[in-house]
Amino acid sequence: MKLKAQGFEARSAEAIARRYPQERIDRQLRWIDRRSIKSNRLGLLRAAIEQDWPEPGKRSPKLGRPNDSDEQRRSSGVSFQEALRARAKQLGSDHF
């Protein structure tokens, strides 16, 4: 499985694969090396799959700016790192 090859544990990889279309997963896997990753590659990849992020360097139709910066504030006003911490807290996980 491609997600396990990236470093996801089997259970996490299977849960992601059940929840999201394979085409979306493959697309985000193709783009992961083009994203600005500062600390947590798997957390960023998981978020990209869950939220179906646009291709890095492409402009978001909603925001009109590139979408590949970890420091960028999302439309919710929360940074990527803050969003990951909140998601990890929701899931009761320290994998982020």
Side-chain angles (χ1 to χ4, degrees), residues 5-73:
Q6 291 292 317
F8 282 100
E9 294 179 1
R11 195 165 120 188
S12 296
E14 290 166 8
I16 293 168
R18 277 193 310 270
R19 188 171 295 141
Y20 302 100
Q22 187 63 44
E23 185 274 326
R24 179 191 293 194
I25 294 168
D26 289 342
R27 182 175 59 243
Q28 296 302 334
L29 286 169
R30 278 193 313 272
W31 296 339
I32 189 66
D33 290 328
R34 294 174 42 204
R35 299 202 183 277
S36 299
I37 303 169
K38 294 190 180 184
S39 63
N40 188 340
R41 179 183 171 89
L42 291 182
L44 187 135
L45 178 55
R46 179 188 298 263
I49 293 168
E50 289 173 349
Q51 298 169 19
D52 199 15
W53 291 357
E55 184 176 0
K58 297 288 182 176
R59 298 210 175 266
S60 166
K62 290 181 186 176
L63 302 176
R65 59 183 185 232
N67 292 296
D68 59 344
S69 172
D70 287 347
E71 305 296 40
Q72 170 184 336
R73 294 280 169 179

